[in-house]
Amino acid sequence: MPDPSAERDAVEAESAFSHPAVAPDATAAYGEHPDQVVDFFAPRDGRDRAPLVVVLHGGAWRAPYDRQHISPFADFLARRGFAVASVEYRRGGELPRPRGTEPVAGRWPETFDDVAAAMDLLPGLAREALPGADTRRIVVTGHSAGGHLALWAAARHVLTPDSAWHLPAAPALRGVVALAPIADFTAAEELGVCGGATAQLLGGKEHFDERRPYADPAALLPTGIATVLVQGRTDIVVPRAVAESYTDAAAKAGEPVWLTLLEDVGHFPLIDPAADACAVVAEEIEQLAY
């Protein structure tokens, strides 16, 4: 008998991926590797001093999934009056995998190196590429694995000083809107999210406990930065239990985190410009940006 949840997820994914990629207005490099680039989308209404939304794409940190699939979402935000920066980063590790299995998730430490470098250089790159962007009003958003990276980027000041990614003070962000994020690595591993992608991101299960404190948003609390999670109740890719585990950890750390649960919504409508859920995401970003 067909699984209705899987059928619904397939329909939602097909809709989200049906939109053609949207070319950016400008692209800037933040490093020498071909993946170390940021695409910029100007606000379509020509607004001056528009808040800057940083977008981090998902795809389980795996190499086949790049920023092209989220460009319609970036364009959607630009049409809502935002300046948008869509960050690419290195994905896909070098661990040996049995033939016929999916690509390895992420690279340690390159994936984190890239996000840290991009975030540090972004205000200057944005001022050059999008002179109308207001870099004093930055909101970071990301979907799925990109939601993890968005939460992590906002928590680097919580890292211990021995980390190369440590910031001495909180980054200057208005907030984070994480969309169906892989926000708690322990919960994600227990649920088998994306085929064990979190352990792969950390370099394999043998490194999980050692590296998790440097990479897991649930271990990097409190941040002191306004944080909203948007999650579909019927998401079977990154189940709501992962988001709820993160919000529980935040509450224990004394930090309020808002969790917006959307009825009859799965994983992909959050970045699908044709879906009502995408408009909800834009509204959450607007509340933080203004």
Side-chain angles (χ1 to χ4, degrees), residues 61-62 105 182-209 212 216 237-239 241-242 245:
W61 310 284
R62 292 189 168 115
I182 304 178
D184 184 309
F185 278 18
T186 300
E189 278 300 296
E190 289 174 353
L191 293 167
V193 170
C194 298
T198 47
Q200 293 173 26
L201 175 66
L202 301 183
K205 290 184 177 180
E206 66 273 23
H207 296 294
F208 188 84
D209 292 336
R212 188 181 72 84
D216 183 359
V237 178
V238 183
V242 178
S245 184

Side-chain angles (χ1 to χ4, degrees), residues 54-180:
V54 181
V55 174
L56 291 154
H57 72 80
W61 310 284
R62 292 189 168 115
Y65 307 100
D66 63 16
R67 69 194 186 283
Q68 297 301 315
H69 80 269
I70 210 166
S71 63
F73 173 72
D75 177 67
F76 173 82
L77 294 177
R79 287 187 278 113
R80 295 286 292 242
F82 295 108
V84 181
S86 181
V87 178
E88 191 57 275
Y89 52 90
R90 282 174 284 182
R91 311 161 314 283
E94 302 300 330
L95 291 175
R97 297 287 287 166
R99 180 172 297 178
T101 58
E102 58 193 341
V104 172
R107 297 188 184 195
W108 180 277
E110 290 90 346
T111 299
F112 296 92
D113 288 343
D114 287 359
V115 173
M119 293 301 297
D120 290 345
L121 294 172
L122 199 53
L125 294 175
R127 283 192 290 269
E128 215 171 293
L130 296 177
D134 187 351
T135 56
R136 298 168 302 176
R137 289 188 292 168
I138 299 177
V139 176
V140 182
T141 190
H143 178 240
S144 196
H148 155 261
L149 294 172
L151 293 169
W152 180 83
R156 289 169 55 205
H157 59 294
V158 184
L159 289 166
T160 52
D162 65 303
S163 169
W165 309 308
H166 170 77
L167 290 177
L173 303 175
R174 282 293 181 94
V176 178
V177 180
L179 315 176

Side-chain angles (χ1 to χ4, degrees), residues 216-263:
D216 183 359
L220 298 171
L221 291 162
T223 66
I225 293 174
T227 301
V228 176
L229 273 59
V230 184
Q231 177 77 40
R233 286 187 181 272
T234 59
D235 191 334
I236 62 171
V237 178
V238 183
R240 58 183 281 194
V242 178
E244 290 172 339
S245 184
Y246 175 83
T247 57
D248 287 346
K252 290 176 183 175
E255 180 158 85
V257 169
W258 187 259
L259 174 59
T260 298
L261 290 171
L262 303 182
E263 299 291 340

